[in-house]
Amino acid sequence: MLICPSCEKETKRYWIGMCSSCYRKLRKQEDPNFFKTIPRTKENREWRRKNPDKVKAAKLTFRSKPDYIDKERNYRLTKTYNLSLSQYNEMLISQGGVCTICLKPETRVASNGKVNNMTVDHDHTCCNGPFSCGKCIRKLLCHACNVSVGLLNENPDRMRRMAEYIESYKRAVGAPGSEDQ
């Protein structure tokens, strides 16, 4: 939860450094006509209700444009990690397009059938909350490695013990995956 500096209430949503109700009050003070409805809003709403297929097709067409995709990705990266799309792409190129841990490209497929982007890994102990300051960004990971690091609570000792455990069984004679076979 975040605390609004204007009203000092806890809030889930934040609008330019304040909760949504404080933001609305500020906007009303700046421009009294800001929240007045557009005269045709009711007609537009009615048309959208009657034509859901056309609305869905228009949204898909608009959202599939490369311009929109890049802007949306840049917005999310900047808001979440304080990282621009060009910085993300530079990181991806410097890593050779593969995960830092498993050295493989991302394989997780989204519901639209496209392969997901690599995940930005950052130190969760640095920034408190859902957003990163940008200084604690480490590298790009595939989804599987990122989830694994998270499940192990970013604890290096635990990760080493897990690796030792797996390696001890691979060294055993006759064990599946051992080098002796």
Side-chain angles (χ1 to χ4, degrees), residues 26-40:
L26 178 70
R27 288 300 300 204
K28 259 187 184 171
Q29 288 171 356
E30 291 174 355
D31 181 9
N33 297 323
F34 183 75
F35 287 105
K36 295 216 170 147
T37 57
I38 299 167
R40 306 191 88 190

Side-chain angles (χ1 to χ4, degrees), residues 2-137:
L2 302 166
I3 296 177
C4 174
S6 301
C7 65
E8 297 183 358
K9 291 181 183 175
E10 282 191 2
T11 179
K12 288 182 183 176
R13 294 206 144 165
Y14 226 57
W15 296 81
I16 311 173
M18 61 189 78
C19 68
S20 55
S21 59
C22 289
Y23 175 74
R24 282 194 304 274
K25 286 176 191 172
L26 178 70
R27 288 300 300 204
K28 259 187 184 171
Q29 288 171 356
E30 291 174 355
D31 181 9
N33 297 323
F34 183 75
F35 287 105
K36 295 216 170 147
T37 57
I38 299 167
R40 306 191 88 190
T41 301
K42 189 174 181 181
E43 295 167 21
N44 290 345
R45 208 175 309 137
E46 185 68 23
W47 183 88
R48 287 193 304 271
R49 189 180 59 75
K50 289 180 180 176
N51 300 289
D53 294 338
K54 289 182 180 179
V55 171
K56 186 176 181 178
K59 282 182 182 177
L60 288 173
T61 302
F62 178 76
R63 290 183 179 163
S64 64
K65 292 180 181 177
D67 233 20
Y68 174 83
I69 294 167
D70 287 347
K71 284 180 183 175
E72 179 67 20
R73 181 91 177 116
N74 190 47
Y75 171 78
R76 288 182 188 276
L77 285 168
T78 304
K79 184 174 172 73
T80 309
Y81 303 109
N82 201 13
L83 181 75
S84 71
L85 182 58
S86 60
Q87 290 170 317
Y88 174 90
N89 288 335
E90 286 172 18
M91 287 176 70
L92 189 62
I93 290 167
S94 72
Q95 289 181 208
V98 297
C99 171
T100 300
I101 296 175
C102 67
L103 303 176
K104 294 180 182 174
E106 178 63 79
T107 56
R108 187 169 191 231
V109 178
S111 59
N112 63 3
K114 294 182 181 177
V115 176
N116 284 353
N117 292 311
M118 299 286 267
T119 306
V120 178
D121 182 40
H122 65 283
D123 185 359
H124 291 88
T125 59
C126 174
C127 299
N128 199 5
F131 305 111
S132 167
C133 64
K135 296 175 186 171
C136 54
I137 291 172

